[in-house]
Amino acid sequence: KAGVTQTPRYLIKTRGQQVTLSCSPISGHRSVSWYQQTPGQGLQFLFEYFSETQRNKGNFPGRFSGRQFSNSRSEMNVSTLELGDSALYLCASSLDGGGNQPQHFGDGTRLSIL
Amino acid sequence: DAKTTQPPSMDCAEGRAANLPCNHSTISGNEYVYWYRQIHSQGPQYIIHGLKNNETNEMASLIITEDRKSSTLILPHATLRDTAVYYCIVRRINNDMRFGAGTRLTVKP
């Protein structure tokens, strides 16, 4: 069974630009969560999507948004990029997002802002 | 959400058991204990999880105390490839996972 696939693996952008990251969950998984990982703040939850609806949201500004498609694939968008947005962005999928369902992570997209 | 406390670092000899402790004294009755590990530049890897009972799978064993205020992850025969940061997480039903700083485990030959 294929794991969680994130594209692209690496991305370089400049301040003020916007970026879209993609995540393909494990087949059959309907919940997709996004996380940001930085050396200073560690792993922080961004949001979770289930059945094309945002179900949970972390404490990030509105510049961070996402969506989920009917095939459960998800995209995350960051607008008006800032230097502090440089991070590893991780996507995780699970069957239904319930507490007894493990989330399985992809290897992330490393975003660098110049 | 319940917070977790883990030692920042631990060493273990190759071939020996690695016992990683975690305190979660404010855990609620419906919160699961999850363990993940992360090797540099990769995404976190799921290891094991449990609610009340001890659990074992092909990777590790999870021992949860009777009062559920602490747990221990056991890697029975540590190898060099087990060197990683290990995260203990308390997770509510239908909730995100809040990662702490974790324990950096170094397995030495």
Side-chain angles (χ1 to χ4, degrees), chain A residues 78-93:
Chain A
V78 188
S79 62
T80 319
L81 286 165
E82 301 176 359
L83 292 178
D85 297 334
S86 293
L88 180 66
Y89 289 89
L90 292 157
C91 166
S93 75

PDB file of all heavy atoms in Angstrom, chain A residues 78-93:
ATOM      1  N   VAL A  78      -0.381  28.945   0.989  1.00  0.00           N
ATOM      2  CA  VAL A  78       0.103  30.024   1.844  1.00  0.00           C
ATOM      3  C   VAL A  78       0.261  31.257   0.971  1.00  0.00           C
ATOM      4  O   VAL A  78       0.976  31.214  -0.044  1.00  0.00           O
ATOM      5  CB  VAL A  78       1.444  29.692   2.526  1.00  0.00           C
ATOM      6  CG1 VAL A  78       1.786  30.775   3.558  1.00  0.00           C
ATOM      7  CG2 VAL A  78       1.402  28.328   3.189  1.00  0.00           C
ATOM      8  N   SER A  79      -0.411  32.333   1.328  1.00  0.00           N
ATOM      9  CA  SER A  79      -0.329  33.562   0.547  1.00  0.00           C
ATOM     10  C   SER A  79       0.596  34.564   1.242  1.00  0.00           C
ATOM     11  O   SER A  79       0.897  34.442   2.435  1.00  0.00           O
ATOM     12  CB  SER A  79      -1.720  34.174   0.370  1.00  0.00           C
ATOM     13  OG  SER A  79      -2.263  34.514   1.631  1.00  0.00           O
ATOM     14  N   THR A  80       1.052  35.546   0.481  1.00  0.00           N
ATOM     15  CA  THR A  80       1.893  36.620   0.995  1.00  0.00           C
ATOM     16  C   THR A  80       2.998  36.051   1.900  1.00  0.00           C
ATOM     17  O   THR A  80       3.074  36.337   3.103  1.00  0.00           O
ATOM     18  CB  THR A  80       1.059  37.659   1.773  1.00  0.00           C
ATOM     19  OG1 THR A  80      -0.173  37.904   1.089  1.00  0.00           O
ATOM     20  CG2 THR A  80       1.831  38.968   1.858  1.00  0.00           C
ATOM     21  N   LEU A  81       3.829  35.252   1.325  1.00  0.00           N
ATOM     22  CA  LEU A  81       4.846  34.528   2.089  1.00  0.00           C
ATOM     23  C   LEU A  81       5.765  35.464   2.865  1.00  0.00           C
ATOM     24  O   LEU A  81       6.162  36.536   2.381  1.00  0.00           O
ATOM     25  CB  LEU A  81       5.672  33.652   1.149  1.00  0.00           C
ATOM     26  CG  LEU A  81       4.963  32.398   0.634  1.00  0.00           C
ATOM     27  CD1 LEU A  81       5.713  31.810  -0.557  1.00  0.00           C
ATOM     28  CD2 LEU A  81       4.815  31.379   1.747  1.00  0.00           C
ATOM     29  N   GLU A  82       6.101  35.018   4.082  1.00  0.00           N
ATOM     30  CA  GLU A  82       7.034  35.743   4.952  1.00  0.00           C
ATOM     31  C   GLU A  82       8.235  34.838   5.213  1.00  0.00           C
ATOM     32  O   GLU A  82       8.158  33.613   5.079  1.00  0.00           O
ATOM     33  CB  GLU A  82       6.342  36.099   6.272  1.00  0.00           C
ATOM     34  CG  GLU A  82       5.113  36.953   6.104  1.00  0.00           C
ATOM     35  CD  GLU A  82       4.391  37.205   7.427  1.00  0.00           C
ATOM     36  OE1 GLU A  82       4.858  36.689   8.461  1.00  0.00           O
ATOM     37  OE2 GLU A  82       3.365  37.915   7.408  1.00  0.00           O
ATOM     38  N   LEU A  83       9.342  35.486   5.633  1.00  0.00           N
ATOM     39  CA  LEU A  83      10.548  34.710   5.899  1.00  0.00           C
ATOM     40  C   LEU A  83      10.287  33.615   6.936  1.00  0.00           C
ATOM     41  O   LEU A  83      10.814  32.501   6.835  1.00  0.00           O
ATOM     42  CB  LEU A  83      11.678  35.624   6.378  1.00  0.00           C
ATOM     43  CG  LEU A  83      12.241  36.613   5.364  1.00  0.00           C
ATOM     44  CD1 LEU A  83      13.313  37.486   5.995  1.00  0.00           C
ATOM     45  CD2 LEU A  83      12.808  35.887   4.145  1.00  0.00           C
ATOM     46  N   GLY A  84       9.440  33.920   7.908  1.00  0.00           N
ATOM     47  CA  GLY A  84       9.135  32.970   8.972  1.00  0.00           C
ATOM     48  C   GLY A  84       8.327  31.770   8.532  1.00  0.00           C
ATOM     49  O   GLY A  84       8.126  30.841   9.315  1.00  0.00           O
ATOM     50  N   ASP A  85       7.866  31.774   7.293  1.00  0.00           N
ATOM     51  CA  ASP A  85       7.113  30.624   6.782  1.00  0.00           C
ATOM     52  C   ASP A  85       8.041  29.513   6.299  1.00  0.00           C
ATOM     53  O   ASP A  85       7.569  28.441   5.924  1.00  0.00           O
ATOM     54  CB  ASP A  85       6.196  31.062   5.632  1.00  0.00           C
ATOM     55  CG  ASP A  85       5.135  32.055   6.074  1.00  0.00           C
ATOM     56  OD1 ASP A  85       4.772  32.038   7.277  1.00  0.00           O
ATOM     57  OD2 ASP A  85       4.681  32.848   5.230  1.00  0.00           O
ATOM     58  N   SER A  86       9.334  29.774   6.305  1.00  0.00           N
ATOM     59  CA  SER A  86      10.292  28.728   5.941  1.00  0.00           C
ATOM     60  C   SER A  86      10.164  27.581   6.941  1.00  0.00           C
ATOM     61  O   SER A  86      10.314  27.778   8.145  1.00  0.00           O
ATOM     62  CB  SER A  86      11.723  29.271   5.974  1.00  0.00           C
ATOM     63  OG  SER A  86      11.925  30.226   4.958  1.00  0.00           O
ATOM     64  N   ALA A  87       9.882  26.405   6.438  1.00  0.00           N
ATOM     65  CA  ALA A  87       9.585  25.278   7.330  1.00  0.00           C
ATOM     66  C   ALA A  87       9.433  24.008   6.518  1.00  0.00           C
ATOM     67  O   ALA A  87       9.394  24.031   5.287  1.00  0.00           O
ATOM     68  CB  ALA A  87       8.294  25.534   8.114  1.00  0.00           C
ATOM     69  N   LEU A  88       9.328  22.903   7.261  1.00  0.00           N
ATOM     70  CA  LEU A  88       8.928  21.630   6.672  1.00  0.00           C
ATOM     71  C   LEU A  88       7.423  21.493   6.887  1.00  0.00           C
ATOM     72  O   LEU A  88       6.954  21.554   8.022  1.00  0.00           O
ATOM     73  CB  LEU A  88       9.672  20.471   7.344  1.00  0.00           C
ATOM     74  CG  LEU A  88       9.363  19.067   6.836  1.00  0.00           C
ATOM     75  CD1 LEU A  88       9.835  18.891   5.387  1.00  0.00           C
ATOM     76  CD2 LEU A  88      10.005  18.012   7.731  1.00  0.00           C
ATOM     77  N   TYR A  89       6.684  21.338   5.809  1.00  0.00           N
ATOM     78  CA  TYR A  89       5.227  21.198   5.898  1.00  0.00           C
ATOM     79  C   TYR A  89       4.880  19.728   5.698  1.00  0.00           C
ATOM     80  O   TYR A  89       5.208  19.135   4.670  1.00  0.00           O
ATOM     81  CB  TYR A  89       4.534  22.089   4.877  1.00  0.00           C
ATOM     82  CG  TYR A  89       4.660  23.539   5.261  1.00  0.00           C
ATOM     83  CD1 TYR A  89       5.755  24.295   4.837  1.00  0.00           C
ATOM     84  CD2 TYR A  89       3.721  24.149   6.092  1.00  0.00           C
ATOM     85  CE1 TYR A  89       5.899  25.621   5.227  1.00  0.00           C
ATOM     86  CE2 TYR A  89       3.854  25.470   6.482  1.00  0.00           C
ATOM     87  CZ  TYR A  89       4.952  26.199   6.050  1.00  0.00           C
ATOM     88  OH  TYR A  89       5.098  27.504   6.440  1.00  0.00           O
ATOM     89  N   LEU A  90       4.205  19.181   6.696  1.00  0.00           N
ATOM     90  CA  LEU A  90       3.907  17.758   6.729  1.00  0.00           C
ATOM     91  C   LEU A  90       2.416  17.523   6.601  1.00  0.00           C
ATOM     92  O   LEU A  90       1.605  18.247   7.175  1.00  0.00           O
ATOM     93  CB  LEU A  90       4.405  17.145   8.038  1.00  0.00           C
ATOM     94  CG  LEU A  90       5.920  17.103   8.197  1.00  0.00           C
ATOM     95  CD1 LEU A  90       6.301  17.026   9.668  1.00  0.00           C
ATOM     96  CD2 LEU A  90       6.506  15.921   7.454  1.00  0.00           C
ATOM     97  N   CYS A  91       2.097  16.498   5.877  1.00  0.00           N
ATOM     98  CA  CYS A  91       0.714  16.076   5.710  1.00  0.00           C
ATOM     99  C   CYS A  91       0.583  14.690   6.344  1.00  0.00           C
ATOM    100  O   CYS A  91       1.512  13.869   6.250  1.00  0.00           O
ATOM    101  CB  CYS A  91       0.392  16.033   4.213  1.00  0.00           C
ATOM    102  SG  CYS A  91      -1.102  15.169   3.765  1.00  0.00           S
ATOM    103  N   ALA A  92      -0.539  14.442   6.985  1.00  0.00           N
ATOM    104  CA  ALA A  92      -0.777  13.139   7.599  1.00  0.00           C
ATOM    105  C   ALA A  92      -2.197  12.696   7.271  1.00  0.00           C
ATOM    106  O   ALA A  92      -3.119  13.522   7.266  1.00  0.00           O
ATOM    107  CB  ALA A  92      -0.586  13.205   9.106  1.00  0.00           C
ATOM    108  N   SER A  93      -2.385  11.413   7.025  1.00  0.00           N
ATOM    109  CA  SER A  93      -3.726  10.924   6.741  1.00  0.00           C
ATOM    110  C   SER A  93      -4.106   9.811   7.707  1.00  0.00           C
ATOM    111  O   SER A  93      -3.250   9.116   8.261  1.00  0.00           O
ATOM    112  CB  SER A  93      -3.838  10.438   5.295  1.00  0.00           C
ATOM    113  OG  SER A  93      -3.208   9.187   5.110  1.00  0.00           O
TER     114      SER A  93
END
